[in-house]
Amino acid sequence: MSFLLQQALIDPSAATKMHPRQQGALISQARNSRLLASLAVVLKDSGNMETLPEKMRRHLRSALVIHAKQKMDLNYETDRIRSILRSADENLLLLKGGAYIQAELPVGKGRLITDIDILVSRKNIENVERTLKAAGWEGSQIDDYDDHYYRRWGHEIPPLISHRRGTTLDVHHNILPPTAGPNVDACLLLKDAIEIAPGIFTLSWRDMVIHSATHLFHEGEFHHGLRDLWDLDRMLRDFPDRDPHFWNELLERAERLQLQVSLFHGLNYTHKVFGTPLPAGLLREARDRAQNVAKPIVDFLYLRAFRPDHPDSRLLFTGPALFLLYVRSHYLRMPIYLLLPHLTRKLWKRCFQDDSGAPLGLDNKTGKTANQ
Amino acid sequence: MQAVGNLTNKLFHKQLRTGSLALQVGPYTYSIQSDLPIVAEGIRALYRDFVLVDPQNFIDYKISIRHGGLLQRLRRQTQFYFDGTRPFAPIPIGQAYAFLEWGMNWCVSLHANEYLKLHAAVVSSERGAIIMPGVPGSGKSTLCAALGLRGWRILSDEHAMLIPGTVNVVPLCRPVSLKNESIEVIQQFSAEAILGPTSQKTHKGRVAHMKADLHADSHNASPLPAAWMIFPRFCPNERQQVTLRRRSDSFILAAYHSFNYSLLCESGFESMEKLINSVACFDLVYHDLNWAVHTVNQLVGHPDNE
C-alpha cells in the first residue's frame, strides 16, 4: 500500500536506492502533491542529496528556488499587511503556510504556499476589508452567487488579490464556516495567539495543530491532502520539544474548540501514513473523546485521499473515494437543506458553463500564459 | 541510438498509446502518451529524428493528451495531463497537436529553474548564438524558422536557457510554432519546410509547427555561447532596418521577456547583467524575410546560403 513519496519522506535514503524510473515517478508525485521542496529539504538535511543523480537533483533545486522566492515575497507582504492592518486596529495573525514560514518552524522548511491566510476578529472584518482595498488589494472577480455564498455562509471574505505582485490574500474570521457542526469560538484562538515578531502573530502551537487537522478534514479538495498531513507530522515531531505540556493539553483544547473529531483523524492518519510518534495511549484517548469515529469506510476513503493524485499511486476506487469525501466535506460544512441547493448549483455551473475552448489558464507562478 | 523514425508504424503507435514513447529533448526526457491520430501524425512528422529513450530511465516530464471522460468525448474535446493533473481547460480535438507543443513548453516554463529562461528564439552558427526575444506577433518564430531553413542551427523557438553566471545557452530544439500568415510565408520561403498538422481557430488563430532539427548538430546537447541579442519586429509599413540598441534598454526588455528572472532573485540579475555585457544588442525591423536573413548574416559575418 505504500507509495514512493511516502517511502522517501519517511526514509530519505530510500530515494537513493530507487530505480531511475521510480526516481522520475518520485519527483512527479512530489510535484503533484506540492511537496517537491519539502522532499528536497528532507533529502538535504539527511545528507542524501549528494548521492542522488544530477537529473533528479536539478528538479529538487528548482523547487527550492521557488520556495526561497516565496519566502522572500512573504516577508515583504507580511510587512506591508501588518502596517495596513495596524491602521484598521487589527493585529496580523498568520495562518497555515505563511505562519509556518514566518515563525521559522521546521514545518515551514520547503513549505510551498499558494496564498497568504490571515485571521481577524469577526466584528472588525468589514473595516479590515475596506482598509485593505483602499491600500490596493482588489476583490476577486467572482459572480454574485459565489460572493453572496462567501459572505453569508463562509468563514472568510472572497479572496483579495494584488494584481501587480500576483499575491492572493484570504481574510478569515474563523477557521470553520458557521454552518459546520462544530461551533468554534474564534475569540479563543485570538486570545491564545503567539507574537512571533513585533506585530506578527500565529496561533498557539496546539491551535496550529488543531487548525491544520480541521482544515484537512473539512476541505473538499484533496490535492493538498498529503501535504497537509506532512505539515501535521512535522509539527507533531517539533512542538513537544518547544512546550513540555504540549501533549497534556492538546486533547482538552480540541474539545474546548469542539474539534476533537478532526484532531483524532489528524493524529490517526499522520501516525498511519508517516509513522509520527505519539505518546502511549494518546490515540485511544483521542478516539474516546471523539466518540465512535473509526469506521472502516472512513479509513478506506482517507487512505486514498492521502496519496498523490497521480497515475502511479492511485488505488482502486480512488476516484469515487475522492468524490465521496468531497460530498462529505460539504456535508460537514453545512446542513443538508443548504447543501443540496448549493451542490446542484455547482454541478449545473460545471456542466453548462464550462470554459470549453477558453485559452489556457494563467500560470500563477510566472504570470505568463502557458502557450507563448 | 534509435530515433523515432526508425520505429515501425505499428510499434510507434503502440508506444504512443501506452505511454512508453520517451524522447530526448535537449537536457530533458519527455514521455508522451496519446490515443489521438492527429497527435501521432504530428509526432511522426516533426520528431522523427529525435532520439528515443528507454522508458525505464528517469523521465523529467510525463505528459498525456486524451479524453477526460464521456462528456468530453461527446463534445469532441480532449485534455492535457501532466503529473496526472489537468492544468488546462479541455480543448477541441482538432487543436490537440498545438496543445501538445504548448504543453511541452509549459513544462519547461514552469519548472526548470536551474537556468535563467528568456522567452526567446535561439539560433547559432559557428560564430556564436543569437538570442531573439520577442512578444507574440513580433515575428521571432518566423525569422527563426527562416534562418533554420538557410543553414542556421535552431536551438529553440521558445526558451533561451542560460546557465547562470555564464553566457552559455543550453539547446532545447523542438518544432517551431508558426501562426496564421507565417505558415504560408514559410512555405513560400522554402520548399524544404516540413510542417505538422494545422490547428484551426485556436486562441492564437491558425497554428502549425515546423520541423526544426534540420542541422547536423541539432541534437548535440552541449551549451553554446551567445554572442548577439536581436529584438526582431515584423512591421509591414515601416522601413526595414537594423539599429544598435542600448544595453540598459536591452536589459530591461530581456528581463521583461523572461520566465523566471524575478524568481531567481540576485542570481537572475547577475546572470542577465553578465549576458547583456557580453553580447551586442540590435533592433531589427523587417517585413521581407529574405532581407532579414541576409541582414542577420551580414551582421554576424555568416555567408548567405542558397
Side-chain angles (χ1 to χ4, degrees), chain A residues 28 32 58-59 62 371-372, chain B residues 27 60 83 113 158 203-204:
Chain A
S28 178
N32 167 305
R58 64 180 175 189
H59 288 281
S62 265
N371 39 7
Q372 279 168 333
Chain B
D60 290 281
D83 282 347
N113 294 312
E158 181 72 12
H203 57 290
K204 295 195 164 194

Side-chain angles (χ1 to χ4, degrees), chain A residues 19-21 24 28 31-32 58-59 62 66 69 310-311 314 351 354 356 360 363 366 368 370-372, chain B residues 27-28 56 58 60 75 77 82-83 85 88 99 106 110-111 113-114 119 158 203-204 256 258-259 262:
Chain A
H19 186 275
R21 181 181 51 78
S28 178
R31 202 161 44 201
N32 167 305
R58 64 180 175 189
H59 288 281
S62 265
I66 294 173
K69 176 66 159 70
H310 189 277
R314 235 172 255 147
C351 287
D354 205 349
S356 47
L360 296 178
D363 144 36
T366 62
K368 285 180 184 283
N371 39 7
Q372 279 168 333
Chain B
Y28 304 115
Q56 295 300 314
F58 184 93
D60 290 281
R75 284 183 179 150
Q77 285 179 335
F82 172 68
D83 282 347
T85 62
F88 314 125
F99 272 80
W106 176 85
L110 202 59
H111 298 107
N113 294 312
E114 63 267 41
H119 183 214
E158 181 72 12
H203 57 290
K204 295 195 164 194
Y256 178 76
S258 167
F259 290 97
S262 87

Side-chain angles (χ1 to χ4, degrees), chain A residues 15-88:
Chain A
T16 61
K17 295 167 208 140
M18 287 177 191
H19 186 275
R21 181 181 51 78
Q22 292 178 312
Q23 290 178 330
L26 171 64
I27 294 291
S28 178
Q29 286 182 6
R31 202 161 44 201
N32 167 305
S33 308
R34 297 195 60 76
L35 278 167
L36 192 53
S38 306
L39 177 65
V41 166
V42 168
L43 288 165
K44 236 174 139 171
D45 288 355
S46 63
N48 285 290
M49 188 72 136
E50 297 316 308
T51 46
L52 292 170
E54 173 56 23
K55 268 179 168 296
M56 207 178 162
R57 275 193 309 203
R58 64 180 175 189
H59 288 281
L60 296 162
R61 281 199 305 263
S62 265
L64 288 175
V65 166
I66 294 173
H67 171 67
K69 176 66 159 70
Q70 287 190 343
K71 202 171 154 180
M72 202 166 101
D73 290 350
L74 176 69
N75 216 7
Y76 174 83
E77 297 289 2
T78 305
D79 203 47
R80 306 227 345 170
I81 299 166
R82 172 176 55 181
S83 63
I84 298 169
L85 289 186
R86 196 175 288 146
S87 65

